[in-house]
mmCIF file of all heavy atoms in Angstrom:
data_model
loop_
_atom_site.group_PDB
_atom_site.id
_atom_site.type_symbol
_atom_site.label_atom_id
_atom_site.label_comp_id
_atom_site.label_asym_id
_atom_site.label_seq_id
_atom_site.Cartn_x
_atom_site.Cartn_y
_atom_site.Cartn_z
ATOM 1 N N VAL A 302 -0.710 2.851 43.268
ATOM 2 C CA VAL A 302 -0.768 2.946 44.775
ATOM 3 C C VAL A 302 -0.080 1.726 45.332
ATOM 4 O O VAL A 302 0.715 1.846 46.341
ATOM 5 C CB VAL A 302 -2.199 3.022 45.213
ATOM 6 C CG1 VAL A 302 -2.357 2.807 46.703
ATOM 7 C CG2 VAL A 302 -2.895 4.268 44.790
ATOM 8 N N LYS A 303 -0.261 0.518 44.825
ATOM 9 C CA LYS A 303 0.470 -0.669 45.315
ATOM 10 C C LYS A 303 1.970 -0.469 45.183
ATOM 11 O O LYS A 303 2.754 -0.858 46.020
ATOM 12 C CB LYS A 303 -0.047 -1.929 44.559
ATOM 13 C CG LYS A 303 -1.403 -2.361 44.910
ATOM 14 C CD LYS A 303 -1.889 -3.426 44.002
ATOM 15 C CE LYS A 303 -1.119 -4.737 44.147
ATOM 16 N NZ LYS A 303 -1.648 -5.822 43.366
ATOM 17 N N ASN A 304 2.415 0.086 44.021
ATOM 18 C CA ASN A 304 3.786 0.328 43.826
ATOM 19 C C ASN A 304 4.315 1.368 44.826
ATOM 20 O O ASN A 304 5.452 1.226 45.404
ATOM 21 C CB ASN A 304 4.031 0.863 42.430
ATOM 22 C CG ASN A 304 5.506 0.836 42.038
ATOM 23 O OD1 ASN A 304 6.157 -0.215 41.842
ATOM 24 N ND2 ASN A 304 6.056 2.071 41.975
ATOM 25 N N ALA A 305 3.549 2.376 45.111
ATOM 26 C CA ALA A 305 3.924 3.393 46.068
ATOM 27 C C ALA A 305 3.965 2.813 47.495
ATOM 28 O O ALA A 305 4.948 3.122 48.296
ATOM 29 C CB ALA A 305 2.931 4.596 46.079
ATOM 30 N N ILE A 306 3.109 1.977 47.855
ATOM 31 C CA ILE A 306 3.120 1.245 49.157
ATOM 32 C C ILE A 306 4.342 0.465 49.299
ATOM 33 O O ILE A 306 5.033 0.397 50.355
ATOM 34 C CB ILE A 306 1.885 0.476 49.403
ATOM 35 C CG1 ILE A 306 0.649 1.387 49.522
ATOM 36 C CG2 ILE A 306 1.980 -0.373 50.598
ATOM 37 C CD1 ILE A 306 -0.703 0.622 49.525
ATOM 38 N N LEU A 307 4.726 -0.230 48.237
ATOM 39 C CA LEU A 307 5.938 -1.113 48.238
ATOM 40 C C LEU A 307 7.247 -0.344 48.497
ATOM 41 O O LEU A 307 8.053 -0.800 49.271
ATOM 42 C CB LEU A 307 5.998 -1.853 46.857
ATOM 43 C CG LEU A 307 7.220 -2.675 46.673
ATOM 44 C CD1 LEU A 307 7.295 -3.858 47.644
ATOM 45 C CD2 LEU A 307 7.301 -3.246 45.217
ATOM 46 N N TYR A 308 7.289 0.856 47.968
ATOM 47 C CA TYR A 308 8.546 1.617 48.101
ATOM 48 C C TYR A 308 8.510 2.687 49.167
ATOM 49 O O TYR A 308 9.585 3.300 49.466
ATOM 50 C CB TYR A 308 8.925 2.267 46.750
ATOM 51 C CG TYR A 308 9.426 1.302 45.699
ATOM 52 C CD1 TYR A 308 8.556 0.704 44.813
ATOM 53 C CD2 TYR A 308 10.673 0.878 45.721
ATOM 54 C CE1 TYR A 308 8.963 -0.166 43.883
ATOM 55 C CE2 TYR A 308 11.183 -0.062 44.795
ATOM 56 C CZ TYR A 308 10.355 -0.566 43.928
ATOM 57 O OH TYR A 308 10.710 -1.470 42.936
ATOM 58 N N ALA A 309 7.349 2.962 49.708
ATOM 59 C CA ALA A 309 7.220 4.063 50.659
ATOM 60 C C ALA A 309 8.020 3.733 51.999
ATOM 61 O O ALA A 309 7.935 2.646 52.536
ATOM 62 C CB ALA A 309 5.782 4.326 51.041
ATOM 63 N N LEU A 310 8.853 4.704 52.392
ATOM 64 C CA LEU A 310 9.480 4.565 53.668
ATOM 65 C C LEU A 310 8.659 5.031 54.838
ATOM 66 O O LEU A 310 8.775 4.570 55.974
ATOM 67 C CB LEU A 310 10.822 5.391 53.664
ATOM 68 C CG LEU A 310 11.788 5.047 52.560
ATOM 69 C CD1 LEU A 310 13.018 6.002 52.553
ATOM 70 C CD2 LEU A 310 12.308 3.669 52.729
ATOM 71 N N GLU A 311 7.682 5.909 54.464
ATOM 72 C CA GLU A 311 6.677 6.297 55.510
ATOM 73 C C GLU A 311 5.468 6.834 54.779
ATOM 74 O O GLU A 311 5.507 6.999 53.575
ATOM 75 C CB GLU A 311 7.334 7.500 56.389
ATOM 76 C CG GLU A 311 7.690 8.658 55.534
ATOM 77 C CD GLU A 311 8.354 9.801 56.356
ATOM 78 O OE1 GLU A 311 8.515 9.566 57.596
ATOM 79 O OE2 GLU A 311 8.546 10.808 55.779
ATOM 80 N N GLY A 312 4.418 7.064 55.486
ATOM 81 C CA GLY A 312 3.180 7.504 54.919
ATOM 82 C C GLY A 312 3.081 8.974 54.898
ATOM 83 O O GLY A 312 3.906 9.749 55.448
ATOM 84 N N PRO A 313 2.073 9.586 54.289
ATOM 85 C CA PRO A 313 1.009 8.880 53.604
ATOM 86 C C PRO A 313 1.346 8.764 52.026
ATOM 87 O O PRO A 313 2.257 9.459 51.601
ATOM 88 C CB PRO A 313 -0.230 9.701 53.752
ATOM 89 C CG PRO A 313 0.385 11.163 53.799
ATOM 90 C CD PRO A 313 1.698 11.004 54.496
#
Side-chain angles (χ1 to χ4, degrees):
V302 172
K303 288 172 64 177
N304 191 72
I306 293 171
L307 174 64
Y308 287 96
L310 301 175
E311 60 181 5

